[in-house]
Structures are given as C-alpha cells and as structure tokens.
C-alpha cells in the first residue's frame, strides 16, 4: 500500500469526515500502440494501453480528477462533450479555453459533474487525433436517493461505434490539407474491433466483438458514435431497443428496431434477451444517409451470444426499417425523441419543471454551414461565412492577463452574402439570456452540432430555410434536452439555450473533417457583476501559451513523479474541501 492509500485509510479510520462531495481519480496515459482492427496494422491512440480507452465512472456531483500524461509526439487536449463544467470552462479541453499539453508533459483536469447524470464520452480535440482513437466512455450515475425511471437493469453493456480508416490521423490530415475530401471510410469499429465475417466480403482473421448475455435478463445498452463523419444505424437482430436516455436526460420510453446515431451522439436503451437462442444474433452499426449499396464495407458487425445459444450467427444482416431515401421519413425518429417530464434527473424535481416554452427569447443566432470552399488558397469550412482560426492564447487567459487582439467579439448573428474569410470571431453572448440557435445546414452532408457547457432544448427541425413563422411548429412542452444534435442537409434544427453558465464555450460541428477545416466558434458569457461565485479562478496548474508562453515553467519529471504529483494534487483538493467544510461548520 502506497503513502497516498495509507493516508486515505487514516482519514477513514480516524473518524475524519470529508463532508464535501466525493472525489474519483484517474490516471490516463495517452500513447500510441499498434493494432489491426480492420486487418491492417496501424498506429492507434490508446489510453492506458487500451483502445478504446477505459470507462470514466462517476456519480452526480462527484469531483473528477483526471491526470493526463501525453506520450504522443504532438500536443494533446482531452475534451468531455456534454459534461457542463459548471463555472469552470478552464477544464473544457479545447483550444479556446486551454493551452495544449506538450509531448512528454502531464496535466491534471479537475471538474465537478454538477447536477448531471447519463451517458457521455471523452476524446482528443486537437489535430484530428480522434480519428486514431483516444476516446472512451463516461457514465454519470444517479445518486442513491434519486430513482431511475425504469426497473434496475440486470447489467450494463457499452458500445463505442464509429467509422474508421486504415490511415492514421496524420495521413488523414494531409489529405484535408491538400484540399481533398477524405472519401469513404474503410469500415466501422465496434469497441475497437472489426466486423464478424458475416459474408465473403469480410477478410479472414479479423478480431470481432462477442457480447455474452443471459436469457431473460434486461441490460442497459449505452451507445456512443465517436466516429469521424458518418452517421450509423445501430441494431441488434430480432431485439427491440427501448430508448430511455440521451446525453444526460431521460426520454419518454419508446421501442425501436433500429436507431440512427449521428457523430458524437450518445444514447441508452434497455434490451431484454427474450429470444429463443436458436443461434447467436448480429449486432450491426452501418453507414447511414449515404449510398448504402456503395458503402457496404462501412459496416460494423459484432455477435450477441446467449449462454444457451445453439449455434453461430449466420445469414444476411438485418436491415434498417426506416427508408432514408425519403428524407421526411428519416426525420420522424429524431422528432419522436421526447423528454420524460415526470422523471427526476440529477435532482428530485421532475425534468419537466423548467418551463422553457414560456420564456421570452432574448436573441436569435442563425448559424449557416455551406460546403467547404477555398480561402486564401486552402480548403476551409465556415459558419456564417467565417472559418474559425483558433486563438494562440486561450480567451479567459487573455482576458485576465490583458492580452489585446487575442480574439474578436463580432461573430454575426445571421449569415451575410459576402466572401468567406478566416477570423477569430466569437459570439458576445449575454449572461442570463435565453437564446435561440438555428443550425441551417446548406452543406451536402448530414452534420452533428455540439455546444459545450450546456444542454439545449431541441424544439424544431424541418427541411428548407428557417424563418420566424417556423416557431409556430416548435415543441414547447417536452422537447428533449441534450448537447449534440443532427442537422440534415438542406434542413434546419432550432434549439433553445438558457445562458446560466459563465465562461467561454465552444460551438462546433462534430463531423471531424468539417471541424478541422474551421466550422466552429465560441460563446463568451461573462457576468458583469462577477463576485467569484459564477466563475472559478484559473486552476493552479494552468498551462500558458501564445502571448503568455513566457509565464510557463518547464516540466521535469519521470512518469513516477508525475503519478505522485497527480495524487498529491488530489490530496490537496480533498484537504481544501475538508477545510472548507470545517470553516463553514464553525
């Protein structure tokens, strides 16, 4: 037992009470390993030698400490889509908020999962690295005093799905930098593994996933699309998927035979093992909203194995029931996702107690995406004609250190007919405002949009061009609240956001090719009466770069001393929480 564990045992058995919210601590070593998920040896990004990375498991209001060691040969940031980082955009892990972790350095993230439950994931946010891995699941459990709105499942199964290329992220970057599109992926991975040999098109020798289950049991299935740019249809042969949660909010329960999961989206289903186990069953994740005949290789296949199964899976794969050649039919599924307004979420009060439909909208932002275009000789993607250039100095660091010209607060609230340009423009949003954001997708591909720091209410979507009269069709009663939403090509999606979280928050397309090419911006939300209660100070281990790089000290340590340093930081945080509770009591 090490000195850190001894000290914790001393606290436990000496009767000292840590009255503040509990801590969980993780060490993440991010490095390259060689894997052959599609039968071709390639370099992938692993976390603790695992691909995908390990589960980050916490409970509502827990403090999470993640000590990240960058063993890559390039800078790294991890981001946590859907984790709201209340008052603490310092931990968000994107370039507008954080300086990158240099190679052979470590950085300790510390944040609280305040008032949150549900299914999320983490991933790299820089340099197209997510295309090589570095991702893993996050589960935030309900507190014991908050019941879940369904019977306790007999077990949980996590699926990490995503399109995949046999070229690594550096090679894919070069393709985009040369002005070309990436083209069709080489396949789909399920939990880092390639497809089961369901027909002769699948090469021999590929390692596939087998999921072992017991007949009659009900499992909670959490599914995350961590891929590059492809929407995937997820299905389990002969089994219904009972939708119960998405990205931190319980849904009205509805059965589906298959379900479209778009890039960077997360869902929970209940699946009952109610079949006769005459054979194993296919688990399929296949490309969607493309020419599926041409894209047949972009299919992931795993095996569901009952303990009393009588034989291997065989025959053709099950096909999705929704005909996506009819776009109106395809949109029926997302429109059917509604909030369970009577269930408790992270707090005892029902999820529907926030009557968003009765609040006056203070500002509207229409964010239009177009196909990539050439700007200054390079292929770029835009929002409202602006292709975002990340600031060399993170925004709040620039503010606190009075760095001039680090960014601009002039992002247009609607598209203008003017030549596209590169810029560092951000939205100057108003604290405590209640805004409407309309994502207008005039690109040729379906896109996923994400907002850091918030969940938003998905009140409407339709084909065509959004206009004010479309508000008459909004769902103002039980719209799902989430953080990542699909927007169909030639269509719009409208969301409502209550701006109660001070900080700087990224708005981006999650399709990695478009994000890499500049299709993002930020909201800067400041409290003009800030008194230290609505935004945290920068952490003591903040990294400096850009105009402030001279403030950064070099790191000199071995992996062992880095590990000890991470534990000491956790210990210090726990002691501070203890002292705070003591002083509060006194």
């Amino acid at each position: 037992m090490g000195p850190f564990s001894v000290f914790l045992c001393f606290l436990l058995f000496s009767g000292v009470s840590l009255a503040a919210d509990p801590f969980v601590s993780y060490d993440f070593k991010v490095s390259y390993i060689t894997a052959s998920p599609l039968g071709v040896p390639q370099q992938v990004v692993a976390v603790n030698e695992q691909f995908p990375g390990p589960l980050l498991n916490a409970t509502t209001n827990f403090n999470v400490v993640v000590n990240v060691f960058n063993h890559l040969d390039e800078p790294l940031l991890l981001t946590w889509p859907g984790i709201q980082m209340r008052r603490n955009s310092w931990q968000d892990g994107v370039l507008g908020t954080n300086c990158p972790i240099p190679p052979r350095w470590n950085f300790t993230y510390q944040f609280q999962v305040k008032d949150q439950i549900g299914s999320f994931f983490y991933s790299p946010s820089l340099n197209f690295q997510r295309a090589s891995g570095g991702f893993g699941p996050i589960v935030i459990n309900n507190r014991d005093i908050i019941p879940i709105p369904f019977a306790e499942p007999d077990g949980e199964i996590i699926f990490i799905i995503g399109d995949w290329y046999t070229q690594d992220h550096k090679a894919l970057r070069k393709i985009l930098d040369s002005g070309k599109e990436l083209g069709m992926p080489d396949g789909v991975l399920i939990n880092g593994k390639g497809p089961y040999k369901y027909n002769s098109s699948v090469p021999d020798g590929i390692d596939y996933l087998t999921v072992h289950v017991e007949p009659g049991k009900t499992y909670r299935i959490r599914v995350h699309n961590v891929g590059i740019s492809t929407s995937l249809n997820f299905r389990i042969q002969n089994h219904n998927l009972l939708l119960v949660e998405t990205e931190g909010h319980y849904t009205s329960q509805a059965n589906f035979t298959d379900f479209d999961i778009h890039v960077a989206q997360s869902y929970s289903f209940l699946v009952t093992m109610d079949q006769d186990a005459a054979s194993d069953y296919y688990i399929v994740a296949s490309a969607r909203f493309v020419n599926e005949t041409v894209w047949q290789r972009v299919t992931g296949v795993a095996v569901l194995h009952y303990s009393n199964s009588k034989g291997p899976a065989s025959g053709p794969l099950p096909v999705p029931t929704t005909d996506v050649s009819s776009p109106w039919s395809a949109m029926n599924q997302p429109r059917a996702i509604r909030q369970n307004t009577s269930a408790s979420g992270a707090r005892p009060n029902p999820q529907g107690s926030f009557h968003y439909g009765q609040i006056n909208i203070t500002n509207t932002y229409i964010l239009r995406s177009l196909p990539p275009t050439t700007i200054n000789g390079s292929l770029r993607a835009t929002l409202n004609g602006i292709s975002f250039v990340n600031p060399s100095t993170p925004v709040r660091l620039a503010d606190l250190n009075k760095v001039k010209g680090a960014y601009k607060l002039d992002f247009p609230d609607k598209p203008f007919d003017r030549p596209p340009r590169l810029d560092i423009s951000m939205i100057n949003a108003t604290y405590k405002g209640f805004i409407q954001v309309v994502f207008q997708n005039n690109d040729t591909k379906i896109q996923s949009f994400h907002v850091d720091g918030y969940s938003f209410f998905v009140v409407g979507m339709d084909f065509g061009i959004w206009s004010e009269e479309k508000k008459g069709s909004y769902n103002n009663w039980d719209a799902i609240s989430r953080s990542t939403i699909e927007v169909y090509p030639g269509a719009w999606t409208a969301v409502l956001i209550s701006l109660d979280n001070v900080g700087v928050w990224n708005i981006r397309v999650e399709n990695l090719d478009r994000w890499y090419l500049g299709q993002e911006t930020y909201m800067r939300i400041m409290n003009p009466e800030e008194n230290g209660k609505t935004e945290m100070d920068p952490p003591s281990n903040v990294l400096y770069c850009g105009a402030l790089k001279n403030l950064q000290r070099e790191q000199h340590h071995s992996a062992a001393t880095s590990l000890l340093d991470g534990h000491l930081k956790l210990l210090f945080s726990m002691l501070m929480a203890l002292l705070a509770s003591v002083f509060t009591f006194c």
Side-chain angles (χ1 to χ4, degrees), residues 308-327:
N308 62 340
S309 174
K310 301 176 181 65
S314 61
L317 300 179
V319 297
T321 56
T322 305
D323 177 15
V324 294
S325 64
S326 168

PDB file of all heavy atoms in Angstrom, residues 308-327:
ATOM      1  N   ASN A 308     -27.083 -19.944 -23.599  1.00  0.00           N
ATOM      2  CA  ASN A 308     -27.665 -21.203 -24.077  1.00  0.00           C
ATOM      3  C   ASN A 308     -27.795 -21.232 -25.595  1.00  0.00           C
ATOM      4  O   ASN A 308     -28.625 -21.963 -26.153  1.00  0.00           O
ATOM      5  CB  ASN A 308     -29.029 -21.444 -23.426  1.00  0.00           C
ATOM      6  CG  ASN A 308     -30.040 -20.353 -23.770  1.00  0.00           C
ATOM      7  OD1 ASN A 308     -29.650 -19.252 -24.173  1.00  0.00           O
ATOM      8  ND2 ASN A 308     -31.332 -20.648 -23.608  1.00  0.00           N
ATOM      9  N   SER A 309     -26.974 -20.422 -26.289  1.00  0.00           N
ATOM     10  CA  SER A 309     -27.057 -20.343 -27.746  1.00  0.00           C
ATOM     11  C   SER A 309     -26.754 -21.699 -28.381  1.00  0.00           C
ATOM     12  O   SER A 309     -25.874 -22.442 -27.930  1.00  0.00           O
ATOM     13  CB  SER A 309     -26.074 -19.300 -28.270  1.00  0.00           C
ATOM     14  OG  SER A 309     -26.048 -19.302 -29.677  1.00  0.00           O
ATOM     15  N   LYS A 310     -27.463 -21.993 -29.466  1.00  0.00           N
ATOM     16  CA  LYS A 310     -27.339 -23.302 -30.118  1.00  0.00           C
ATOM     17  C   LYS A 310     -26.469 -23.259 -31.372  1.00  0.00           C
ATOM     18  O   LYS A 310     -26.331 -24.272 -32.057  1.00  0.00           O
ATOM     19  CB  LYS A 310     -28.731 -23.838 -30.460  1.00  0.00           C
ATOM     20  CG  LYS A 310     -29.627 -23.999 -29.235  1.00  0.00           C
ATOM     21  CD  LYS A 310     -31.028 -24.431 -29.629  1.00  0.00           C
ATOM     22  CE  LYS A 310     -31.939 -24.573 -28.409  1.00  0.00           C
ATOM     23  NZ  LYS A 310     -32.159 -23.260 -27.751  1.00  0.00           N
ATOM     24  N   GLY A 311     -25.904 -22.072 -31.691  1.00  0.00           N
ATOM     25  CA  GLY A 311     -25.067 -22.047 -32.881  1.00  0.00           C
ATOM     26  C   GLY A 311     -24.641 -20.640 -33.241  1.00  0.00           C
ATOM     27  O   GLY A 311     -25.108 -19.656 -32.651  1.00  0.00           O
ATOM     28  N   PRO A 312     -23.746 -20.500 -34.212  1.00  0.00           N
ATOM     29  CA  PRO A 312     -23.247 -19.175 -34.602  1.00  0.00           C
ATOM     30  C   PRO A 312     -24.267 -18.375 -35.398  1.00  0.00           C
ATOM     31  O   PRO A 312     -25.215 -18.939 -35.969  1.00  0.00           O
ATOM     32  CB  PRO A 312     -22.023 -19.508 -35.455  1.00  0.00           C
ATOM     33  CG  PRO A 312     -22.338 -20.848 -36.048  1.00  0.00           C
ATOM     34  CD  PRO A 312     -23.108 -21.585 -34.987  1.00  0.00           C
ATOM     35  N   ALA A 313     -24.066 -17.065 -35.418  1.00  0.00           N
ATOM     36  CA  ALA A 313     -24.902 -16.195 -36.256  1.00  0.00           C
ATOM     37  C   ALA A 313     -24.607 -16.482 -37.724  1.00  0.00           C
ATOM     38  O   ALA A 313     -23.458 -16.732 -38.102  1.00  0.00           O
ATOM     39  CB  ALA A 313     -24.628 -14.739 -35.930  1.00  0.00           C
ATOM     40  N   SER A 314     -25.627 -16.436 -38.549  1.00  0.00           N
ATOM     41  CA  SER A 314     -25.437 -16.690 -39.974  1.00  0.00           C
ATOM     42  C   SER A 314     -26.555 -16.019 -40.761  1.00  0.00           C
ATOM     43  O   SER A 314     -27.538 -15.537 -40.189  1.00  0.00           O
ATOM     44  CB  SER A 314     -25.423 -18.202 -40.266  1.00  0.00           C
ATOM     45  OG  SER A 314     -26.658 -18.787 -39.888  1.00  0.00           O
ATOM     46  N   GLY A 315     -26.389 -16.006 -42.065  1.00  0.00           N
ATOM     47  CA  GLY A 315     -27.402 -15.408 -42.923  1.00  0.00           C
ATOM     48  C   GLY A 315     -27.171 -13.928 -43.119  1.00  0.00           C
ATOM     49  O   GLY A 315     -26.191 -13.354 -42.633  1.00  0.00           O
ATOM     50  N   PRO A 316     -28.085 -13.275 -43.838  1.00  0.00           N
ATOM     51  CA  PRO A 316     -27.925 -11.839 -44.123  1.00  0.00           C
ATOM     52  C   PRO A 316     -28.105 -10.986 -42.872  1.00  0.00           C
ATOM     53  O   PRO A 316     -28.780 -11.384 -41.915  1.00  0.00           O
ATOM     54  CB  PRO A 316     -29.020 -11.562 -45.150  1.00  0.00           C
ATOM     55  CG  PRO A 316     -30.058 -12.613 -44.901  1.00  0.00           C
ATOM     56  CD  PRO A 316     -29.309 -13.827 -44.454  1.00  0.00           C
ATOM     57  N   LEU A 317     -27.506  -9.816 -42.885  1.00  0.00           N
ATOM     58  CA  LEU A 317     -27.667  -8.879 -41.780  1.00  0.00           C
ATOM     59  C   LEU A 317     -29.076  -8.311 -41.773  1.00  0.00           C
ATOM     60  O   LEU A 317     -29.699  -8.137 -42.827  1.00  0.00           O
ATOM     61  CB  LEU A 317     -26.665  -7.729 -41.908  1.00  0.00           C
ATOM     62  CG  LEU A 317     -25.183  -8.074 -41.896  1.00  0.00           C
ATOM     63  CD1 LEU A 317     -24.356  -6.797 -42.048  1.00  0.00           C
ATOM     64  CD2 LEU A 317     -24.794  -8.809 -40.618  1.00  0.00           C
ATOM     65  N   PRO A 318     -29.609  -7.976 -40.585  1.00  0.00           N
ATOM     66  CA  PRO A 318     -30.901  -7.275 -40.542  1.00  0.00           C
ATOM     67  C   PRO A 318     -30.744  -5.896 -41.165  1.00  0.00           C
ATOM     68  O   PRO A 318     -29.678  -5.283 -41.091  1.00  0.00           O
ATOM     69  CB  PRO A 318     -31.206  -7.185 -39.048  1.00  0.00           C
ATOM     70  CG  PRO A 318     -29.865  -7.254 -38.383  1.00  0.00           C
ATOM     71  CD  PRO A 318     -29.031  -8.155 -39.242  1.00  0.00           C
ATOM     72  N   VAL A 319     -31.808  -5.421 -41.799  1.00  0.00           N
ATOM     73  CA  VAL A 319     -31.745  -4.116 -42.460  1.00  0.00           C
ATOM     74  C   VAL A 319     -32.550  -3.102 -41.653  1.00  0.00           C
ATOM     75  O   VAL A 319     -33.512  -3.450 -40.967  1.00  0.00           O
ATOM     76  CB  VAL A 319     -32.287  -4.194 -43.907  1.00  0.00           C
ATOM     77  CG1 VAL A 319     -31.422  -5.121 -44.740  1.00  0.00           C
ATOM     78  CG2 VAL A 319     -33.743  -4.656 -43.930  1.00  0.00           C
ATOM     79  N   PRO A 320     -32.165  -1.827 -41.711  1.00  0.00           N
ATOM     80  CA  PRO A 320     -32.936  -0.785 -41.011  1.00  0.00           C
ATOM     81  C   PRO A 320     -34.353  -0.700 -41.574  1.00  0.00           C
ATOM     82  O   PRO A 320     -34.582  -0.943 -42.771  1.00  0.00           O
ATOM     83  CB  PRO A 320     -32.153   0.497 -41.297  1.00  0.00           C
ATOM     84  CG  PRO A 320     -30.787   0.040 -41.694  1.00  0.00           C
ATOM     85  CD  PRO A 320     -30.965  -1.273 -42.364  1.00  0.00           C
ATOM     86  N   THR A 321     -35.280  -0.356 -40.719  1.00  0.00           N
ATOM     87  CA  THR A 321     -36.680  -0.280 -41.160  1.00  0.00           C
ATOM     88  C   THR A 321     -37.023   1.056 -41.799  1.00  0.00           C
ATOM     89  O   THR A 321     -37.971   1.145 -42.581  1.00  0.00           O
ATOM     90  CB  THR A 321     -37.618  -0.513 -39.965  1.00  0.00           C
ATOM     91  OG1 THR A 321     -37.313   0.445 -38.939  1.00  0.00           O
ATOM     92  CG2 THR A 321     -37.446  -1.916 -39.412  1.00  0.00           C
ATOM     93  N   THR A 322     -36.265   2.107 -41.469  1.00  0.00           N
ATOM     94  CA  THR A 322     -36.580   3.442 -41.984  1.00  0.00           C
ATOM     95  C   THR A 322     -35.951   3.630 -43.354  1.00  0.00           C
ATOM     96  O   THR A 322     -34.766   3.364 -43.551  1.00  0.00           O
ATOM     97  CB  THR A 322     -36.042   4.533 -41.038  1.00  0.00           C
ATOM     98  OG1 THR A 322     -36.567   4.300 -39.735  1.00  0.00           O
ATOM     99  CG2 THR A 322     -36.465   5.913 -41.515  1.00  0.00           C
ATOM    100  N   ASP A 323     -36.736   4.095 -44.292  1.00  0.00           N
ATOM    101  CA  ASP A 323     -36.248   4.361 -45.638  1.00  0.00           C
ATOM    102  C   ASP A 323     -35.696   5.787 -45.678  1.00  0.00           C
ATOM    103  O   ASP A 323     -36.449   6.749 -45.765  1.00  0.00           O
ATOM    104  CB  ASP A 323     -37.391   4.193 -46.643  1.00  0.00           C
ATOM    105  CG  ASP A 323     -36.968   4.525 -48.067  1.00  0.00           C
ATOM    106  OD1 ASP A 323     -35.745   4.604 -48.316  1.00  0.00           O
ATOM    107  OD2 ASP A 323     -37.858   4.713 -48.921  1.00  0.00           O
ATOM    108  N   VAL A 324     -34.358   5.907 -45.609  1.00  0.00           N
ATOM    109  CA  VAL A 324     -33.787   7.247 -45.570  1.00  0.00           C
ATOM    110  C   VAL A 324     -33.713   7.891 -46.950  1.00  0.00           C
ATOM    111  O   VAL A 324     -33.310   9.048 -47.066  1.00  0.00           O
ATOM    112  CB  VAL A 324     -32.380   7.247 -44.931  1.00  0.00           C
ATOM    113  CG1 VAL A 324     -32.461   6.859 -43.476  1.00  0.00           C
ATOM    114  CG2 VAL A 324     -31.436   6.331 -45.687  1.00  0.00           C
ATOM    115  N   SER A 325     -34.096   7.149 -47.999  1.00  0.00           N
ATOM    116  CA  SER A 325     -34.203   7.806 -49.298  1.00  0.00           C
ATOM    117  C   SER A 325     -35.357   8.797 -49.301  1.00  0.00           C
ATOM    118  O   SER A 325     -35.425   9.695 -50.125  1.00  0.00           O
ATOM    119  CB  SER A 325     -34.394   6.769 -50.411  1.00  0.00           C
ATOM    120  OG  SER A 325     -35.626   6.073 -50.239  1.00  0.00           O
ATOM    121  N   SER A 326     -36.271   8.619 -48.332  1.00  0.00           N
ATOM    122  CA  SER A 326     -37.340   9.590 -48.113  1.00  0.00           C
ATOM    123  C   SER A 326     -36.947  10.442 -46.908  1.00  0.00           C
ATOM    124  O   SER A 326     -37.063   9.995 -45.764  1.00  0.00           O
ATOM    125  CB  SER A 326     -38.670   8.892 -47.840  1.00  0.00           C
ATOM    126  OG  SER A 326     -39.627   9.824 -47.355  1.00  0.00           O
ATOM    127  N   PRO A 327     -36.421  11.639 -47.135  1.00  0.00           N
ATOM    128  CA  PRO A 327     -35.912  12.437 -46.004  1.00  0.00           C
ATOM    129  C   PRO A 327     -36.971  12.728 -44.953  1.00  0.00           C
ATOM    130  O   PRO A 327     -36.679  12.805 -43.762  1.00  0.00           O
ATOM    131  CB  PRO A 327     -35.407  13.713 -46.676  1.00  0.00           C
ATOM    132  CG  PRO A 327     -36.075  13.757 -48.013  1.00  0.00           C
ATOM    133  CD  PRO A 327     -36.283  12.350 -48.415  1.00  0.00           C
TER     134      PRO A 327
END
